[in-house]
Amino acid sequence: MTTPTSHPDYEVVIGLEVHAQLRTRSKLFSPAPVSYGEEPNHSVHPVCLALPGVLPVLNREAVKLAIRAGLATHGEVRGHSVFARKNYFYPDLPKGYQISQFEEPVIEGGWLDVVVGEGKNAATKRVNLTRIHMEEDAGKSIHDAAIAGDATHVDLNRAGVPLLEIVSEPDMRSPAEAVAYLRTLRAVLRYIDVSDADMELGHFRCDANLSLRPHGASEYGTRTELKNLNSFRSVEAALEAEIERQADLLDDDEPVVQATMAYDPNSGRTRVLRLKENADDYRYFPDPDLVPLQISADEIEAVRAALPELADARCERFQREYDLSEYDARGLTVSRPLADFFETAAKVHGQAKPVANWILRDVLRALRDRDAEIEDTAITPEALANLVDAVESGKTTAKSARGLVPELVAEGGDPLVWIRERGLEAVSDTGVLEAAVDAVIAENAEDVERVRAGETKVLNFLMGQVMKRTGGKASPQVVRELLQARIQS
Amino acid sequence: MAAYTSLRALRAALESGDTTSVALVQASLERAETLEPQLRAFVWLRKEGALADAAASDARRAQGAVRGPLDGIPVALKDNLVKRGERTTCCSRILEGFVSPYDATAVERLEAAGAVVIGATNLDEFAMGSSTEQSCQGATRNPWDLERAPGGSSGGSAAVVAAGIVPLALGSDTGGSIRQPAALCGVVGIKPTYGRVSRWGLVAFASSLDQIGVFARSAEDAAFGLECLCGHDPRDSTSLPEPAPDLSGRLDGDVSGLVIGLPDEYFATEGADPAVLDAVRTAVGELEAAGAKVRPVSLPHTSYAVATYYLIATAEASSNLARYDGVRYGYRADQVESLTDLYFRSRSEGFGAEVKRRIVLGTYVLSAGYYEAYYKKAQQVRTLLRRDFEAAFEGCDLLATPTTPEVAFPIGAKTDDPLTMYLSDVYTVSANLAGVPGVSLPCGFAEGLPIGLQLLGPALDEATLLRAADAFQRRTDHHTATPPEFP
């Protein structure tokens, strides 16, 4: 099937530029630490302050992470790449230029396979990457009247923090595809420990290029660029709004003007920040303070050898090793911590399939409800394995166990203790159960006859009635055995 | 200072107890202060600190812990090198009030060798100029004729060595800024191979061309000074991995068998003073008489060097000087109305005319639509110039040329005509574009003014340059002449 398109009259063309903060201890060209929540202008060094006479020295750890990202996205690592200066004036840009890569980036090409849609509607789409390059972040201007009055203060703690810029080809055809791509990209970067990719902390930021063209047209329409989209929701909303704006223009035979746009979440509309005629001339040129970056084949191989098993490979292995469907395997490998959680739980429990089901159905739902990731929660793989085991061995019922999952996710703890303390043990006292079974048989004589006549499905109805009488605490296996025994006798 | 003619003699005097570092530094400071009204060569003097450092050196000597040939020797810095706790002005208003919290590597190494910094010298603003007139401090005077310019941009450092204030001074050379003033002031100036001396702490003019070097009275003194500055520095990505070379230990006076190339193009320059060319030819004859072989060579792309240099240097300068924006340190215009106004006014008021001219030119050169035609083309020509040198050095050990087309020119003579000023660098810029080392040494006089002989060598071969220069100085006495007004 084809992936969903979001506009009936026009084909939507989207390309994304993502900035991901690299997980290094020190900055890209200075020994200052990369820090969080430090006092303003404390994580700085003469290089970050652009004092007269300072020189940049490349952080090789950042290069390793860039190579990791390139290999994980099937890109080509260039043996020779060049750092360039991007010149512009801004108070939080201390040198008056940003060191970035321009003509010869560290990674060229590559692709990501992205699952768009859910369940039966899910389809895999390949998004090609143009390039991945390294650059340094700028500082931060603070226009807070409470701190600065009418003045603007500048905090250079972030100045020089290493970023990867990941540029896609204009391969996406709907906001949903764009968001799916972003989610996959973020998962990959986290999988390989290249970036925390925390959107709230600004570790994963996105600019989007968008254009429309009539279906079947071969030439692209005029594109606009949406800047600084900081959440999946804002990406989707901004793209939808911009599609509407451009479609309205095209419907009225008005031209789309090339421009840089911003999305205002309050109005739900996009607005022009600046037109192309006013675009900056960045005067890129190779930074003469930095020699070209040389990466040897040995270095690339060393990084490759140290890569963890990537999501795609792990997904295939899960299908093979644990006999899971592709859909289930993909669901379990969206993040490395989740896949690790599954493998540990499966090992503790001894059987993969039921553990996978419990994770995909109950644990993921509980995580979604809390807007949390598995690594940020209290549930342990052992606890989940024990819970599944408790259901299978009849210690508790599936229903009771399901009710416990959100609490285990939130607070952790030993499910066996929870079951005991809350009185959630399955009732397997045959005396109590026999009474309930007898009552149900007496009340549903007609259905009992149907079971005897071979309508085995009706047995499930009778079981449900027994469960009802026991408040859902009855052990299903025992009830089934008792019912069958009574009906056959 | 004039009583001791060389670092070797100074060291002997210190060792014998004939003098002390405190006495030498005191004498330097006094001479600096006495001559300053005429020379205008210093931006600041560091009296108390220098005397304290000198006392520490004397104490080391008393304990037998001398650090080397420079221990206790007074030196001067060009004021575009930072020293912790001292002002660095680059002779620009834009750096008003800036005090460096860190040391330049060259300064650190000089001090680690025991040298005592007595002050910082005048320069063309941000090292942009060939006369030391483009300084917010005013022009430095040539010790040989106070009406004339000392050359530039390291004119202050050249002048303080020529006037006998210090035996050694640091300069920086982007297109000839050490060799040209050395020639015009009658001293030795060496620009080593690009990457030999760390640029950490040298305020950048044009990063791919800038190199720190030294001024001294003789090739031997220059060798003592330069060898303590060289060697890899992890703080400078362009710093070469090679260890510091032994330069002073290889001055044996022997040039027999050395092949000296005379580039045709350097002797056919229009407008060059015939007296300068004659003196250079005579000097080469002297080396030939000492056993060197001389042959003509060609550097066919020489005529493009000045144009190429000004495209690359201004492009890099426009970017390197963007950090002086009035936001973090240095000069900031008063009562600005907006951010743009802050940038415009701080930079308009803070920078001088020559610096602004080069920023504008460099911005143009890099701008969209012109980059390919100018900057990129200049880089291609730069490669051709580098290959010219590589080819020339296949057949000879060093090249001999004039350092400058003419002797020191009167102050003000070229300030209204930047293009004429730029031609002062016609013989020196190629070495920066190619990254090769060059030395200028006095080789005669015209109208009572010194003439410079330039020796250029292959990358990393400073030793041969200084060996040839030293051999020449063992046979001649041009370098021992002192300016008549400052004996």
Side-chain angles (χ1 to χ4, degrees):
Chain A
M1 68 159 269
T2 55
T3 49
T5 50
S6 62
H7 202 281
D9 300 333
Y10 303 103
E11 186 180 35
V12 174
V13 176
I14 300 169
L16 296 177
E17 292 169 18
V18 170
H19 284 97
Q21 181 175 323
L22 288 174
R23 215 162 141 175
T24 54
R25 276 192 296 276
S26 59
K27 294 187 181 179
L28 189 52
F29 298 108
S30 104
V34 170
S35 66
Y36 306 100
E38 178 65 275
E39 288 276 300
N41 296 309
H42 276 59
S43 293
V44 293
H45 176 270
V47 169
C48 316
L49 302 173
L51 294 188
V54 297
L55 294 168
V57 175
L58 178 61
N59 178 348
R60 278 312 282 216
E61 191 56 35
V63 176
K64 271 191 201 151
L65 295 182
I67 299 172
R68 259 172 111 84
L71 294 176
T73 53
H74 319 279
E76 186 210 338
V77 181
R78 292 180 58 116
H80 174 104
S81 66
V82 172
F83 284 99
R85 293 184 182 179
K86 180 180 182 179
N87 293 281
Y88 62 99
F89 283 97
Y90 210 71
D92 61 21
L93 188 73
K95 295 187 292 295
Y97 56 85
Q98 180 185 21
I99 306 177
S100 180
Q101 294 192 303
F102 185 56
E103 281 184 323
E104 298 176 72
V106 64
I107 310 290
E108 276 181 330
W111 46 264
L112 277 180
D113 278 339
V114 172
V115 179
V116 188
E118 282 185 31
K120 281 181 190 162
N121 292 324
T124 302
K125 154 119 193 172
R126 178 159 294 185
V127 177
N128 291 292
L129 303 184
T130 313
R131 60 189 275 160
I132 300 177
H133 70 248
M134 280 182 273
E135 65 182 34
E136 54 176 358
D137 209 343
K140 204 164 76 179
S141 292
I142 301 166
H143 312 279
D144 185 340
I147 303 171
D150 322 333
T152 295
H153 285 195
V154 174
D155 176 6
L156 297 178
N157 284 348
R158 209 177 66 190
V161 163
L163 302 178
L164 279 190
E165 181 170 334
I166 302 138
V167 182
S168 84
E169 292 287 301
D171 282 354
M172 286 150 281
R173 294 289 174 268
S174 67
E177 286 185 10
V179 170
Y181 163 77
L182 286 175
R183 286 191 187 279
T184 306
L185 177 60
R186 190 177 67 150
V188 167
L189 295 179
R190 287 182 169 180
Y191 226 93
I192 56 177
D193 287 328
V194 156
S195 173
D196 293 334
D198 190 323
M199 291 183 98
E200 278 178 17
L201 292 176
H203 294 172
F204 192 81
R205 319 194 286 262
C206 171
D207 299 339
N209 289 303
L210 185 144
S211 65
L212 303 187
R213 61 180 171 186
H215 286 291
S218 58
E219 280 185 25
Y220 291 128
T222 305
R223 66 189 165 89
T224 56
E225 187 180 19
L226 291 152
K227 287 297 236 189
N228 293 326
L229 305 171
N230 296 322
S231 69
F232 292 129
R233 196 172 303 137
S234 72
V235 170
E236 193 150 19
L239 289 171
E240 295 288 3
E242 182 59 12
I243 288 168
E244 282 316 306
R245 192 188 72 89
Q246 289 193 16
D248 287 349
L249 288 171
L250 295 174
D251 285 346
D252 297 343
D253 275 334
E254 298 269 352
V256 172
V257 179
Q258 196 169 339
T260 302
M261 314 287 295
Y263 173 67
D264 176 7
N266 295 321
S267 68
R269 303 173 75 143
T270 55
R271 66 185 164 81
V272 174
L273 272 182
R274 61 175 183 271
L275 297 172
K276 193 183 177 241
E277 296 90 85
N278 305 330
D280 292 311
D281 178 355
Y282 290 119
R283 291 174 288 115
Y284 282 101
F285 73 108
D287 191 325
D289 286 330
L290 289 160
V291 292
L293 169 57
Q294 306 287 350
I295 300 173
S296 68
D298 286 351
E299 190 174 354
I300 297 169
E301 285 319 305
V303 172
R304 197 193 301 277
L307 271 181
E309 185 184 25
L310 298 178
D312 283 349
R314 205 167 192 185
C315 177
E316 276 171 38
R317 179 167 66 81
F318 279 12
Q319 293 171 55
R320 204 171 56 239
E321 207 167 289
Y322 301 117
D323 196 23
L324 300 175
S325 70
E326 186 194 346
Y327 184 74
D328 286 356
R330 217 176 256 289
L332 290 170
T333 51
V334 290
S335 86
R336 197 161 110 200
L338 187 70
D340 290 344
F341 183 92
F342 160 71
E343 289 213 86
T344 310
K347 195 186 257 174
V348 172
H349 181 273
Q351 272 190 302
K353 187 72 186 165
V355 169
N357 287 343
W358 275 83
I359 291 175
L360 290 165
R361 192 181 49 207
D362 299 287
V363 176
L364 286 186
R365 180 180 300 138
L367 291 174
R368 246 197 321 276
D369 289 346
R370 296 179 61 80
D371 201 14
E373 306 287 342
I374 190 82
E375 64 268 35
D376 305 324
T377 55
I379 187 169
T380 63
E382 291 76 16
L384 182 76
N386 290 341
L387 185 68
V388 175
D389 188 57
V391 174
E392 290 184 333
S393 65
K395 277 202 192 77
T396 189
T397 65
K399 190 181 173 201
S400 299
R402 190 159 293 143
L404 280 180
V405 171
E407 292 187 70
L408 282 170
V409 165
E411 292 166 46
D414 181 348
L416 299 180
V417 173
W418 286 82
I419 288 167
R420 196 168 58 242
E421 286 180 356
R422 304 253 179 115
L424 296 175
E425 290 101 337
V427 177
S428 47
D429 177 331
T430 33
V432 176
L433 293 183
E434 275 170 7
V437 166
D438 287 344
V440 167
I441 285 178
E443 284 165 20
N444 299 280
E446 213 171 289
D447 294 298
V448 171
E449 281 312 312
R450 289 169 66 187
V451 175
R452 282 198 181 113
E455 283 188 63
T456 47
K457 279 184 186 167
V458 179
L459 183 67
N460 289 338
F461 166 76
L462 295 175
M463 278 186 68
Q465 294 300 306
V466 178
M467 297 305 275
K468 217 174 186 177
R469 279 188 168 263
T470 55
K473 288 186 185 178
S475 165
Q477 291 97 311
V478 180
V479 173
R480 181 181 291 272
E481 281 164 22
L482 284 172
L483 266 174
Q484 279 172 334
R486 281 293 153 88
I487 290 170
Q488 303 308 335
S489 66
Chain B
M1 191 66 55
Y4 305 98
T5 51
S6 68
L7 278 177
R8 192 178 285 279
L10 278 168
R11 187 168 46 160
L14 285 166
E15 276 169 10
S16 68
D18 188 32
T19 189
T20 62
S21 176
V22 169
L24 292 177
V25 167
Q26 187 79 51
S28 275
L29 288 167
E30 279 169 16
R31 190 166 173 88
E33 287 191 315
T34 309
L35 302 187
E36 187 55 23
Q38 294 160 279
L39 275 186
R40 324 255 323 239
F42 278 99
V43 176
W44 48 262
L45 281 171
R46 181 175 164 260
K47 290 189 216 167
E48 282 177 23
L51 287 169
D53 289 352
S57 169
D58 288 333
R60 280 196 295 275
R61 193 172 296 279
Q63 300 197 331
V66 178
R67 290 176 180 169
L70 298 185
D71 206 335
I73 302 297
V75 298
L77 309 177
K78 184 178 182 178
D79 196 25
N80 60 352
L81 285 157
V82 302
K83 176 163 164 51
R84 186 197 299 262
E86 300 287 355
R87 286 178 294 144
T88 300
T89 74
C90 291
C91 293
S92 179
R93 209 182 159 200
I94 200 94
L95 273 169
E96 201 172 86
F98 176 74
V99 173
S100 177
Y102 75 103
D103 278 321
T105 300
V107 174
E108 206 173 79
R109 290 188 177 174
L110 206 54
E111 294 193 318
V116 178
V117 174
I118 67 153
T121 61
N122 201 11
L123 64 148
D124 288 297
E125 184 177 0
F126 283 103
M128 296 181 193
S130 306
S131 67
T132 316
E133 293 167 287
Q134 310 284 351
S135 161
C136 71
Q137 303 284 319
T140 290
R141 309 285 165 152
N142 190 317
W144 291 86
D145 178 346
L146 296 173
E147 299 306 310
R148 290 177 189 262
S153 64
S154 313
S157 285
V160 299
V161 171
I165 296 170
V166 285
L168 202 63
L170 294 191
S172 66
D173 189 317
T174 307
S177 282
I178 289 175
R179 289 159 291 154
Q180 186 255 19
L184 302 192
C185 291
V187 297
V188 174
I190 182 164
K191 176 204 93 79
T193 308
Y194 181 78
R196 260 296 198 198
V197 179
S198 168
R199 293 183 296 116
W200 174 257
L202 169 69
V203 181
F205 158 16
S207 308
S208 76
L209 301 160
D210 294 342
Q211 189 55 206
I212 294 168
V214 300
F215 292 93
R217 293 293 291 272
S218 67
E220 187 190 46
D221 287 7
F224 282 129
L226 183 59
E227 65 191 3
C228 92
L229 302 179
C230 295
H232 180 68
D233 179 5
R235 290 173 295 197
D236 176 357
S237 310
T238 62
S239 163
L240 296 172
E242 278 77 10
D246 171 17
L247 298 174
S248 57
R250 291 161 70 182
L251 307 177
D252 56 10
D254 185 10
V255 291
S256 56
L258 215 58
V259 181
I260 300 175
L262 298 186
D264 294 335
E265 294 80 3
Y266 284 59
F267 290 88
T269 312
E270 221 174 295
D273 183 345
V276 168
L277 298 180
D278 280 350
V280 169
R281 286 200 189 92
T282 306
V284 172
E286 195 74 46
L287 287 166
E288 201 173 10
K293 293 194 180 79
V294 177
R295 66 166 59 151
V297 293
S298 176
L299 301 169
H301 297 93
T302 298
S303 61
Y304 304 108
V306 171
T308 302
Y309 169 80
Y310 277 94
L311 292 176
I312 291 171
T314 56
E316 293 183 9
S318 71
S319 176
N320 281 335
L321 270 59
R323 67 188 57 198
Y324 309 108
D325 57 4
V327 172
R328 281 148 297 121
Y329 51 79
Y331 178 78
R332 178 189 284 186
D334 274 341
Q335 300 184 332
V336 294
E337 285 168 7
S338 65
L339 178 60
T340 311
D341 196 34
L342 171 74
Y343 291 146
F344 266 103
R345 287 198 23 229
S346 298
R347 288 168 68 83
S348 296
E349 293 162 21
F351 288 128
E354 181 61 27
V355 170
K356 280 189 248 186
R357 182 180 295 127
R358 295 195 192 197
I359 289 172
V360 170
L361 184 57
T363 303
Y364 178 80
V365 162
L366 288 175
S367 59
Y370 298 101
Y371 178 87
E372 301 276 332
Y374 294 115
Y375 180 80
K376 204 155 197 178
K377 184 66 78 182
Q379 290 293 12
Q380 288 164 347
V381 178
R382 183 177 190 174
T383 303
L384 297 177
L385 281 157
R386 187 175 289 142
R387 288 191 193 142
D388 278 0
F389 278 101
E390 282 164 9
F393 288 125
E394 277 173 22
C396 45
D397 299 298
L398 52 85
L399 305 177
T401 81
T403 310
T404 61
E406 20 170 60
V407 293
F409 45 86
I411 284 173
K414 300 190 180 196
T415 40
D416 294 335
D417 187 352
L419 288 181
T420 313
M421 186 76 91
Y422 295 172
L423 286 173
S424 306
D425 306 329
V426 65
Y427 298 135
T428 50
V429 294
S430 296
N432 300 80
L433 290 165
V436 300
V439 62
S440 176
L441 60 157
C443 70
F445 291 87
E447 305 159 53
L449 295 166
I451 296 170
L453 163 70
Q454 176 176 238
L455 302 177
L456 300 172
L460 293 170
D461 201 7
E462 293 82 6
T464 299
L465 291 184
L466 288 170
R467 184 158 62 94
D470 172 66
F472 178 76
Q473 293 184 336
R474 291 184 188 210
R475 288 165 175 79
T476 57
D477 60 1
H478 307 291
H479 64 291
T480 61
T482 50
E485 292 184 57
F486 306 116

